[in-house]
Amino acid sequence: MFLGTERLVLRRFTGADVDDLVALDGDPEVMRYLTGGRASAREWVEGTLIPLYLEHYRRYGDLGWWAVEERDGGAFLGWFEFRPTEEGERGEVELGYRLRRAAWGRGYATEGARALIRRGFTGSGVERVVAYTMAVNAGSRRVMEKCGLSYVRTFHEDYPEAIPGSEHGEVEYAVTAGEWQARGFGAGSGILGA
């Protein structure tokens, strides 16, 4: 276990997680704001994604992508991303998450993201956390706000294929360690075993 909360366990990915990742990315609703609903190919998950995750563990240790499971029962729920935005730097990290539809609306994204942010600001040398999503992704934006991040800007990327909603652009949210502490998010850990 890398990190635990009241209801979640975050751990490193292994090659045994390919089927779960393929199933996660195979749900058109999960991929709606990422690819317009298109699934990730199994070959890409095996040959590119898993090796990328493993390389980040080797290079950064406590920053990367984390499989998330229910504490009770161990069901695979998806993943969290908490990785450097610049190669070799630990000061700014990107927060991301992708959860199975069955996990939506249960507060898991907020719970896991808050635990990662707390760990980043209190023990991993992180100074700023950023997160991005499509402007129309209201659910993801709410999670960012519940975790203490604030809206920074709307911007437009030049993607090879537009997906529904992309005409409204992407949004950036962010929080610094000082802002997070000042907003009262530093009180109480919420992290088990940390």
Side-chain angles (χ1 to χ4, degrees):
M1 178 173 74
F2 166 71
L3 183 62
T5 69
E6 181 181 334
R7 301 180 299 161
L8 305 174
V9 171
L10 279 69
R11 62 164 176 81
R12 288 182 175 205
F13 276 101
T14 71
D17 292 308
V18 170
D19 289 341
D20 284 328
L21 286 169
V22 170
L24 177 68
D25 285 9
D27 183 333
E29 282 301 305
V30 169
M31 301 302 284
R32 176 180 172 194
Y33 296 116
L34 302 163
T35 64
R38 287 187 314 279
S40 298
R42 181 179 189 82
E43 297 75 25
W44 179 78
V45 171
E46 284 180 312
T48 302
L49 198 60
I50 293 287
L52 173 69
Y53 294 170
L54 299 179
E55 177 61 16
H56 263 76
Y57 303 143
R58 187 187 69 73
R59 295 182 52 224
Y60 297 104
D62 60 346
L63 299 176
W65 285 265
W66 309 100
V68 61
E69 301 172 342
E70 285 182 318
R71 179 173 286 282
D72 295 334
F76 177 82
L77 300 175
W79 55 257
F80 285 93
E81 167 192 18
F82 202 70
R83 66 172 176 91
T85 58
E86 289 190 36
E87 189 69 31
E89 297 294 323
R90 299 179 65 86
E92 182 178 89
V93 299
E94 180 176 349
L95 170 69
Y97 33 84
R98 187 175 305 168
L99 300 177
R100 293 177 42 223
R101 233 188 308 176
W104 293 0
R106 300 176 68 186
Y108 288 150
T110 301
E111 185 174 325
R114 281 182 174 172
L116 282 167
I117 292 168
R118 178 177 310 282
R119 183 178 179 116
F121 285 152
T122 62
S124 296
V126 173
E127 299 164 9
R128 184 172 189 258
V129 174
V130 298
Y132 305 94
T133 192
M134 287 181 65
V136 296
N137 189 345
S140 192
R141 293 179 75 165
R142 275 193 306 275
V143 169
M144 294 172 189
E145 291 166 357
K146 288 179 185 177
C147 292
L149 283 74
S150 297
Y151 170 82
V152 174
R153 66 185 175 120
T154 299
F155 61 98
H156 294 270
E157 294 283 339
D158 186 23
Y159 293 112
E161 288 184 45
I163 62 174
S166 62
E167 68 274 13
H168 300 287
E170 303 279 326
V171 290
E172 176 183 345
Y173 279 70
V175 65
T176 65
E179 291 165 342
W180 177 81
Q181 189 72 37
R183 293 175 187 156
F185 285 92
S189 84
I191 300 173
L192 303 178

